[in-house]
Amino acid sequence: MPTPTPRATLPFFEEAIVAVGAPREQVFAFVDEPARLAGHMGRRTWMMGGGRMRLDMDRHGGRRTGSRVSLTGRAFGIPLHVRAEVTERDPPTIKRWQTVGEPRLLVVGRYRMSVTIDRAPRQSLASIRIDYALPGAHRGRFAQWLARKYARWCVRRMASDVVSAFGLDIPYRGLAR
């Protein structure tokens, strides 16, 4: 299992927080299924340059600490690949995973994803967060701007998928630094 990446090496983050009309056990069961949470990556979208990613999982299906998943596909015609490992899983409150090795991605580099689910009256509060670095030598302001737009789109798509599954009790609220 990889050592958790120090926050200093993942200097950027985006986060979306939503109130979901379901108990946190049900919300956790939904986000614990990688195909549901990564569904936005499997659909052709303009953010993926018309491409999409295929999700592959080990025998534990991404639902156990140490379990590995990978995404392989194309964006803007360029081959992409990333492997990630579940580093923390404590139902029904938290799940974390992070990249293993150096991903082959265009806009973001290494990353750590976290889903935290808190109990609230008659609902759950789900926080979906990505801490990330820029890929390779991309360090300029445009690269930072593009990575932020993509990371924000990603966590908001995940949050939207959670809300679509259970309904929403209060308006969607996306938070970002």
Side-chain angles (χ1 to χ4, degrees), residues 35-57:
R36 290 180 181 154
L37 209 54
H40 65 287
M41 301 297 289
R43 297 186 289 267
R44 294 185 192 279
T45 65
W46 68 271
M47 286 295 281
M48 291 292 295
R52 62 182 175 188
M53 303 286 276
R54 184 186 76 242
L55 176 69
D56 293 308
M57 297 177 272

Side-chain angles (χ1 to χ4, degrees), residues 13-18 20 27 30-31 37 40 95 97 112-117 125-131 151-152 154-163 172-175:
F13 82 91
E14 291 294 328
E15 183 176 34
I17 300 172
V18 291
V20 182
V27 177
F30 181 86
V31 301
L37 209 54
H40 65 287
K95 183 172 182 179
W97 61 100
R112 178 179 46 247
M113 295 288 309
S114 305
V115 178
T116 307
I117 305 163
L125 292 176
S127 166
I128 301 172
R129 178 181 171 121
I130 182 170
D131 294 273
R152 184 177 292 162
C154 192
V155 296
R156 287 182 176 176
R157 287 302 317 146
M158 290 177 176
S160 177
D161 289 345
V162 172
V163 167
Y172 169 86
R173 187 168 66 115
L175 300 180

Side-chain angles (χ1 to χ4, degrees), residues 24 82 137 174:
R24 63 185 182 169
V82 61

Side-chain angles (χ1 to χ4, degrees), residues 12 18 25 58 77 115 136 145 148 176:
F12 307 103
V18 291
E25 292 79 9
D58 66 9
V115 178
W145 176 82
R148 183 175 186 192

Side-chain angles (χ1 to χ4, degrees), residues 44-165:
R44 294 185 192 279
T45 65
W46 68 271
M47 286 295 281
M48 291 292 295
R52 62 182 175 188
M53 303 286 276
R54 184 186 76 242
L55 176 69
D56 293 308
M57 297 177 272
D58 66 9
R59 63 187 174 96
H60 302 295
R63 290 184 297 267
R64 181 180 289 183
T65 301
S67 182
R68 292 208 174 176
V69 298
S70 65
L71 289 164
T72 306
R74 292 182 173 276
F76 302 97
I78 299 168
L80 305 176
H81 180 76
V82 61
R83 288 182 308 142
E85 183 172 306
V86 177
T87 57
E88 184 178 356
R89 184 179 177 277
D90 186 15
T93 58
I94 192 161
K95 183 172 182 179
R96 283 196 178 98
W97 61 100
Q98 70 182 33
T99 53
V100 176
E102 199 60 41
R104 182 184 170 107
L105 299 171
L106 291 178
V107 179
V108 298
R110 290 174 293 104
Y111 65 83
R112 178 179 46 247
M113 295 288 309
S114 305
V115 178
T116 307
I117 305 163
D118 292 317
R119 183 175 291 137
R122 297 182 312 278
Q123 62 191 9
S124 299
L125 292 176
S127 166
I128 301 172
R129 178 181 171 121
I130 182 170
D131 294 273
Y132 63 96
L134 298 178
H138 303 295
R139 300 282 184 247
R141 287 183 185 229
F142 180 73
Q144 288 179 19
W145 176 82
L146 190 60
R148 183 175 186 192
K149 292 288 185 193
Y150 180 80
R152 184 177 292 162
W153 171 78
C154 192
V155 296
R156 287 182 176 176
R157 287 302 317 146
M158 290 177 176
S160 177
D161 289 345
V162 172
V163 167
S164 293

